[in-house]
Amino acid sequence: GENVEQHPSTLSVQEGDSAVIKCTYSDSASNYFPWYKQELGKGPQLIIDIRSNVGEKKDQRIAVTLNKTAKHFSLHITETQPEDSAVYFCAASTASNDYKLSFGAGTTVTVRA
Amino acid sequence: DSGVTQTPKHLITATGQRVTLRCSPRSGDLSVYWYQQSLDQGLQFLIQYYNGEERAKGNILERFSAQQFPDLHSELNLSSLELGDSALYFCASSVSLGSTGELFFGEGSRLTVL
Protein backbone atom coordinates (compact mmCIF):
# COMPACT_ATOMS: atom_id res chain seq x y z
CA GLY A 1 0.00 0.00 0.00
CA GLU A 2 0.87 3.67 -0.02
CA ASN A 3 3.57 4.82 2.40
CA VAL A 4 3.82 8.53 3.21
CA GLU A 5 6.83 9.91 5.04
CA GLN A 6 6.81 13.39 6.52
CA HIS A 7 9.66 15.59 7.72
CA PRO A 8 10.45 17.21 10.02
CA SER A 9 8.51 15.85 12.98
CA THR A 10 8.84 19.17 14.81
CA LEU A 11 9.49 22.66 13.52
CA SER A 12 9.99 25.86 15.48
CA VAL A 13 10.00 29.15 13.61
CA GLN A 14 10.11 32.81 14.51
CA GLU A 15 6.93 34.72 13.85
CA GLY A 16 7.10 36.19 10.37
CA ASP A 17 9.48 33.55 9.03
CA SER A 18 8.53 30.78 6.62
CA ALA A 19 7.89 27.14 7.43
CA VAL A 20 8.35 24.24 5.05
CA ILE A 21 7.16 20.66 5.56
CA LYS A 22 8.10 17.92 3.13
CA CYS A 23 6.46 14.61 2.34
CA THR A 24 7.36 11.71 0.11
CA TYR A 25 5.10 8.95 -1.10
CA SER A 26 5.71 5.52 -2.51
CA ASP A 27 2.85 4.79 -4.91
CA SER A 28 3.45 6.47 -8.25
CA ALA A 29 -0.28 6.14 -8.98
CA SER A 30 -1.18 8.53 -6.15
CA ASN A 31 -3.09 11.46 -7.54
CA TYR A 32 -4.48 13.49 -4.67
CA PHE A 33 -2.44 15.17 -1.93
CA PRO A 34 -4.24 17.06 0.84
CA TRP A 35 -2.78 18.81 3.87
CA TYR A 36 -4.61 18.86 7.17
CA LYS A 37 -4.07 21.10 10.19
CA GLN A 38 -4.89 19.84 13.67
CA GLU A 39 -5.15 22.37 16.44
CA LEU A 40 -4.98 21.31 20.07
CA GLY A 41 -8.08 19.42 21.10
CA LYS A 42 -9.59 19.52 17.63
CA GLY A 43 -9.91 17.19 14.71
CA PRO A 44 -7.81 17.67 11.58
CA GLN A 45 -9.08 20.24 9.10
CA LEU A 46 -8.25 20.46 5.41
CA ILE A 47 -6.22 23.57 4.61
CA ILE A 48 -5.12 22.96 1.04
CA ASP A 49 -4.92 20.14 -1.46
CA ILE A 50 -3.33 19.48 -4.82
CA ARG A 51 -4.01 17.01 -7.58
CA SER A 52 -1.49 15.30 -9.79
CA ASN A 53 -2.19 17.42 -12.83
CA VAL A 54 -1.02 20.56 -11.00
CA GLY A 55 2.50 21.46 -9.85
CA GLU A 56 1.76 24.24 -7.42
CA LYS A 57 -1.22 25.75 -5.67
CA LYS A 58 -1.46 28.83 -3.46
CA ASP A 59 -4.02 30.09 -1.00
CA GLN A 60 -3.00 33.31 0.72
CA ARG A 61 -0.03 32.48 2.96
CA ILE A 62 0.04 28.76 2.25
CA ALA A 63 1.21 26.96 -0.84
CA VAL A 64 1.77 23.38 -1.85
CA THR A 65 4.16 22.09 -4.49
CA LEU A 66 4.14 18.67 -6.09
CA ASN A 67 6.96 16.87 -7.88
CA LYS A 68 5.50 13.69 -9.36
CA THR A 69 8.80 12.54 -10.80
CA ALA A 70 10.48 12.60 -7.43
CA LYS A 71 7.27 11.60 -5.62
CA HIS A 72 7.37 14.36 -3.11
CA PHE A 73 5.23 17.32 -2.16
CA SER A 74 5.72 20.20 0.24
CA LEU A 75 3.72 22.68 2.27
CA HIS A 76 4.99 26.23 2.52
CA ILE A 77 3.67 28.70 5.06
CA THR A 78 4.90 32.27 4.67
CA GLU A 79 4.78 35.12 7.19
CA THR A 80 3.97 32.69 10.00
CA GLN A 81 1.70 33.83 12.78
CA PRO A 82 1.05 32.37 16.26
CA GLU A 83 -2.23 30.88 15.05
CA ASP A 84 -0.25 28.74 12.60
CA SER A 85 1.01 26.71 15.58
CA ALA A 86 -0.52 23.25 15.15
CA VAL A 87 0.17 19.75 13.91
CA TYR A 88 0.18 19.45 10.13
CA PHE A 89 -0.45 16.19 8.29
CA CYS A 90 0.19 15.43 4.67
CA ALA A 91 -1.67 12.63 2.95
CA ALA A 92 -1.83 10.83 -0.37
CA SER A 93 -4.64 9.02 -2.09
CA THR A 94 -4.68 6.72 -5.06
CA ALA A 95 -7.36 5.11 -7.14
CA SER A 96 -5.58 1.77 -6.83
CA ASN A 97 -6.14 1.95 -3.07
CA ASP A 98 -9.80 2.82 -3.47
CA TYR A 99 -8.88 6.43 -2.78
CA LYS A 100 -8.11 5.78 0.88
CA LEU A 101 -5.98 8.49 2.37
CA SER A 102 -2.60 7.48 3.77
CA PHE A 103 -1.36 10.08 6.24
CA GLY A 104 2.13 11.11 7.20
CA ALA A 105 3.12 11.03 10.87
CA GLY A 106 2.60 14.77 11.32
CA THR A 107 4.72 17.84 11.95
CA THR A 108 4.29 19.90 15.10
CA VAL A 109 4.82 23.52 14.16
CA THR A 110 5.49 26.09 16.86
CA VAL A 111 5.58 29.76 15.94
CA ARG A 112 7.60 31.80 18.44
CA ALA A 113 6.39 35.33 19.10
CA ASP B 1 -17.44 23.21 13.70
CA SER B 2 -17.02 20.48 11.08
CA GLY B 3 -20.56 19.19 11.45
CA VAL B 4 -19.30 15.75 12.51
CA THR B 5 -20.30 14.78 16.03
CA GLN B 6 -18.50 12.18 18.09
CA THR B 7 -19.45 10.82 21.48
CA PRO B 8 -18.16 10.35 24.06
CA LYS B 9 -15.34 12.90 24.06
CA HIS B 10 -13.48 11.08 26.79
CA LEU B 11 -13.70 7.51 28.00
CA ILE B 12 -11.72 5.73 30.67
CA THR B 13 -12.05 1.98 31.05
CA ALA B 14 -10.16 -1.10 32.13
CA THR B 15 -8.36 -3.78 30.19
CA GLY B 16 -10.63 -6.51 28.91
CA GLN B 17 -13.64 -4.25 28.67
CA ARG B 18 -15.68 -3.27 25.63
CA VAL B 19 -16.63 0.23 24.50
CA THR B 20 -18.66 1.76 21.72
CA LEU B 21 -17.79 5.04 20.06
CA ARG B 22 -20.45 6.87 18.13
CA CYS B 23 -20.26 9.18 15.15
CA SER B 24 -22.85 11.30 13.39
CA PRO B 25 -21.60 12.48 9.99
CA ARG B 26 -22.31 15.82 8.39
CA SER B 27 -25.77 16.13 6.97
CA GLY B 28 -25.79 14.63 3.49
CA ASP B 29 -22.45 12.82 3.79
CA LEU B 30 -22.68 9.15 2.90
CA SER B 31 -19.12 8.06 3.69
CA VAL B 32 -17.86 7.57 7.23
CA TYR B 33 -14.25 6.83 8.07
CA TRP B 34 -12.68 5.80 11.34
CA TYR B 35 -9.08 6.69 12.20
CA GLN B 36 -6.90 5.91 15.20
CA GLN B 37 -4.34 8.42 16.43
CA SER B 38 -1.96 7.11 19.06
CA LEU B 39 0.51 9.27 20.97
CA ASP B 40 3.05 10.74 18.57
CA GLN B 41 1.54 8.76 15.73
CA GLY B 42 -0.15 9.83 12.58
CA LEU B 43 -3.65 8.96 11.60
CA GLN B 44 -4.10 5.26 11.02
CA PHE B 45 -7.04 4.37 8.81
CA LEU B 46 -9.27 1.72 10.36
CA ILE B 47 -12.38 1.33 8.26
CA GLN B 48 -14.76 3.09 5.88
CA TYR B 49 -18.49 2.76 5.35
CA TYR B 50 -20.47 4.15 2.46
CA ASN B 51 -24.24 4.35 2.64
CA GLY B 52 -24.45 1.55 5.14
CA GLU B 53 -21.98 -0.84 3.57
CA GLU B 54 -18.40 -1.54 4.49
CA ARG B 55 -16.25 -0.10 1.75
CA ALA B 56 -12.64 -0.38 2.80
CA LYS B 57 -10.63 -1.81 5.62
CA GLY B 58 -7.31 -0.63 6.93
CA ASN B 59 -5.28 -1.81 9.88
CA ILE B 60 -8.27 -2.65 12.01
CA LEU B 61 -7.80 -5.32 14.65
CA GLU B 62 -10.16 -8.30 14.78
CA ARG B 63 -11.20 -7.13 18.26
CA PHE B 64 -12.60 -3.99 16.65
CA SER B 65 -15.73 -3.79 14.54
CA ALA B 66 -17.89 -1.07 13.12
CA GLN B 67 -21.19 -0.50 11.41
CA GLN B 68 -23.13 2.25 9.73
CA PHE B 69 -26.84 2.45 10.38
CA PRO B 70 -29.67 3.43 8.01
CA ASP B 71 -29.63 6.97 9.40
CA LEU B 72 -25.92 7.03 8.43
CA HIS B 73 -24.52 7.33 11.93
CA SER B 74 -21.73 4.91 12.68
CA GLU B 75 -20.44 3.06 15.70
CA LEU B 76 -16.98 1.67 16.36
CA ASN B 77 -16.91 -1.21 18.81
CA LEU B 78 -13.67 -1.98 20.62
CA SER B 79 -13.58 -5.19 22.67
CA SER B 80 -11.12 -7.06 24.88
CA LEU B 81 -9.38 -3.75 25.35
CA GLU B 82 -5.64 -3.62 25.91
CA LEU B 83 -3.43 -0.83 27.21
CA GLY B 84 -2.18 -0.22 23.68
CA ASP B 85 -5.66 0.63 22.49
CA SER B 86 -5.45 3.93 24.35
CA ALA B 87 -5.67 6.54 21.63
CA LEU B 88 -7.74 9.26 20.02
CA TYR B 89 -10.32 7.81 17.68
CA PHE B 90 -11.52 10.11 14.94
CA CYS B 91 -14.50 9.80 12.73
CA ALA B 92 -14.57 11.65 9.44
CA SER B 93 -17.22 11.98 6.77
CA SER B 94 -17.36 12.95 3.14
CA VAL B 95 -20.08 13.26 0.59
CA SER B 96 -18.42 10.94 -1.92
CA LEU B 97 -17.25 7.35 -1.97
CA GLY B 98 -13.61 8.16 -2.43
CA SER B 99 -11.51 10.44 -0.29
CA THR B 100 -10.33 12.70 -3.07
CA GLY B 101 -12.46 15.44 -1.68
CA GLU B 102 -12.43 17.01 1.72
CA LEU B 103 -12.81 14.80 4.75
CA PHE B 104 -14.55 16.47 7.66
CA PHE B 105 -13.26 15.24 11.00
CA GLY B 106 -15.00 15.18 14.32
CA GLU B 107 -13.19 16.28 17.46
CA GLY B 108 -12.39 12.72 18.41
CA SER B 109 -13.04 10.34 21.26
CA ARG B 110 -10.13 9.96 23.64
CA LEU B 111 -9.98 6.43 24.99
CA THR B 112 -7.84 5.63 28.00
CA VAL B 113 -7.43 1.97 28.95
CA LEU B 114 -6.08 1.41 32.47
Side-chain angles (χ1 to χ4, degrees):
Chain A
E2 175 67 277
N3 181 42
V4 178
E5 293 192 357
Q6 183 172 348
H7 300 280
S9 57
T10 61
L11 181 59
S12 179
V13 296
Q14 189 68 36
E15 183 178 356
D17 287 351
S18 295
V20 180
I21 304 170
K22 298 182 179 181
C23 290
T24 60
Y25 60 96
S26 60
D27 188 345
S28 57
S30 289
N31 53 11
Y32 174 65
F33 307 91
W35 287 87
Y36 282 80
K37 175 183 181 182
Q38 184 179 16
E39 296 178 345
L40 199 61
K42 303 282 188 183
Q45 183 176 9
L46 179 72
I47 54 171
I48 195 168
D49 57 13
I50 191 168
R51 299 180 191 274
S52 59
N53 58 342
V54 175
E56 183 175 359
K57 184 176 178 181
K58 282 185 179 180
D59 183 4
Q60 299 182 3
R61 296 186 297 106
I62 60 174
V64 58
T65 58
L66 171 65
N67 183 329
K68 287 223 74 178
T69 304
K71 291 191 284 188
H72 68 69
F73 56 114
S74 301
L75 178 73
H76 303 252
I77 308 173
T78 58
E79 300 173 17
T80 53
Q81 300 170 6
E83 54 264 36
D84 295 328
S85 296
V87 180
Y88 292 80
F89 292 97
C90 63
S93 165
T94 174
S96 64
N97 198 25
D98 202 26
Y99 297 108
K100 292 196 302 292
L101 280 178
S102 295
F103 283 87
T107 297
T108 301
V109 174
T110 303
V111 179
R112 308 186 307 272
Chain B
D1 183 5
S2 67
V4 177
T5 304
Q6 288 188 248
T7 57
K9 290 191 185 303
H10 301 277
L11 189 55
I12 300 174
T13 189
T15 55
Q17 295 299 304
R18 172 190 169 95
V19 299
T20 297
L21 309 180
R22 181 187 169 101
C23 169
S24 293
R26 280 191 334 152
S27 177
D29 284 358
L30 299 178
S31 273
V32 170
Y33 307 77
W34 286 97
Y35 285 87
Q36 180 191 58
Q37 185 178 36
S38 302
L39 194 64
D40 295 332
Q41 294 286 315
L43 292 154
Q44 301 297 318
F45 170 71
L46 296 178
I47 197 164
Q48 177 200 2
Y49 281 82
Y50 178 78
N51 203 20
E53 294 188 4
E54 182 183 303
R55 181 65 191 183
K57 254 184 176 178
N59 300 321
I60 188 167
L61 300 172
E62 285 191 10
R63 300 183 286 109
F64 296 0
S65 65
Q67 54 184 325
Q68 186 179 28
F69 295 86
D71 66 353
L72 300 178
H73 92 270
S74 178
E75 292 182 356
L76 178 67
N77 302 295
L78 314 174
S79 62
S80 303
L81 285 168
E82 302 175 358
L83 296 178
D85 297 328
S86 295
L88 256 178
Y89 291 86
F90 284 104
C91 169
S93 72
S94 70
V95 64
S96 61
L97 174 63
S99 50
T100 54
E102 183 170 0
L103 293 190
F104 294 87
F105 283 82
E107 296 196 342
S109 292
R110 181 173 293 281
L111 173 66
T112 302
V113 182
L114 300 177

